[in-house]
Amino acid sequence: MSLENIACNKSFGGWHKRYRHRSATLGCDMVFAIYLPPQAESGRKLPVLYWLSGLTCTDENFMQKAGAQRLAAELGLIIVAPDTSPRGAEVPGDPDGAWDFGHGAGFYLNATEAPWSRHYRMHDYVVQELPALIEANFPASDARGISGHSMGGHGALVAALRTPGRYRSVSAFAPICHPVQCPWGEKAFSRYLGEDRSKWAEWDASLLIANAPERLPLLIDQGDRDSFLDTQLMPESLRGAAAPAGHALELRMQAGYDHSYYFIASFIEDHLRHHAQALKAD
């Protein structure tokens, strides 16, 4: 599979790069960003943190706003940030041009309903195709962590809960914790997955956690002044499901913080260290 390098910037002794490639899973061209810390030049394979961004975002938001490169360079941690959905003229978006569905809003699931099922298979892309591509073309090991924000936080939690053994660590910022019960999730799931709500449970962290075959500790930060907290994010639903399941969850309510990248940048160091500790356990 060919990779087209479309951007390259030196950062904290390492390199931030962007690539375009043809995705067999999504049936379109995709762009991803990768930060290669200085240690990558040694040829030694390094652990990888996959970051999933939220609604309306691309691969650029996290890399430009989170301030993660300095610590990633110190920790010897590769960071990979895919786009949030398939894109292109051949990929259907929201017919009304809405921002919370279609392009930029793939919800990291595998769609089953036409016309979305042809392209919207972001779960398989993030969990299978992209790591295989990264590990074949960069000095990346199979020690993987996953994190994300909002819709991407939902994607990170679901990916870890659905695929035991795939990741060594997981965390999230302001994730959509119970999408089957929130407006964003109901809109997306009804279109991507159809009206049978029993099928939605496969993509809801609050419902998956009870029977998760692996118990990776969950680190979640949530701002208490997030305007989406009560109507869309619902972290208490995840807390309520994790406790009886005996699933370790550290849910940190951060006073005064909202949903923005100011919030993410304030606590990204804690998350990177959380992942590095697990990824370098060997």
Side-chain angles (χ1 to χ4, degrees), residues 55 93-95 98-103 105 107 116 187-189 191-192:
L55 289 164
D94 188 281
W99 59 270
D100 57 354
F101 184 80
H103 297 170
F107 272 83
W116 323 109
K187 177 179 180 177
F189 285 16
R191 296 184 182 186
Y192 289 138

Side-chain angles (χ1 to χ4, degrees), residues 188-206:
F189 285 16
S190 63
R191 296 184 182 186
Y192 289 138
L193 304 172
E195 296 296 338
D196 182 356
R197 296 178 73 100
S198 66
K199 297 179 181 178
W200 298 7
E202 300 174 26
W203 306 101
D204 186 304
S206 293

Side-chain angles (χ1 to χ4, degrees), residues 33-50:
I34 183 168
Y35 178 68
L36 297 165
Q39 297 87 336
E41 296 185 4
S42 71
R44 177 169 56 91
K45 291 191 174 182
L46 303 175
V48 185
L49 175 63
Y50 291 86

Side-chain angles (χ1 to χ4, degrees), residues 77-93:
L77 188 63
I78 294 173
I79 301 177
V80 173
D83 201 347
T84 52
S85 77
R87 297 184 194 263
E90 70 272 37
V91 178

Side-chain angles (χ1 to χ4, degrees), residues 16 60 81 127 164 202 220 248:
H16 165 264
E60 295 184 283
V127 172
E202 300 174 26
I220 295 177

Side-chain angles (χ1 to χ4, degrees), residues 24-133:
T25 301
L26 304 178
C28 65
D29 287 347
M30 289 294 286
V31 172
F32 67 86
I34 183 168
Y35 178 68
L36 297 165
Q39 297 87 336
E41 296 185 4
S42 71
R44 177 169 56 91
K45 291 191 174 182
L46 303 175
V48 185
L49 175 63
Y50 291 86
W51 172 271
L52 309 184
S53 288
L55 289 164
T56 75
C57 292
T58 68
D59 65 285
E60 295 184 283
N61 296 73
F62 177 81
M63 290 299 199
Q64 292 182 3
K65 297 179 179 180
Q69 290 89 343
R70 177 190 61 79
L71 190 60
E74 175 188 321
L75 297 172
L77 188 63
I78 294 173
I79 301 177
V80 173
D83 201 347
T84 52
S85 77
R87 297 184 194 263
E90 70 272 37
V91 178
D94 188 281
D96 300 318
W99 59 270
D100 57 354
F101 184 80
H103 297 170
F107 272 83
Y108 303 103
L109 49 69
N110 293 333
T112 57
E113 298 296 303
W116 323 109
S117 56
R118 180 180 175 188
H119 298 286
Y120 285 83
R121 302 187 61 82
M122 285 297 294
H123 176 80
D124 281 356
Y125 175 72
V126 166
V127 172
Q128 301 292 339
E129 184 179 11
L130 184 59
L133 182 68

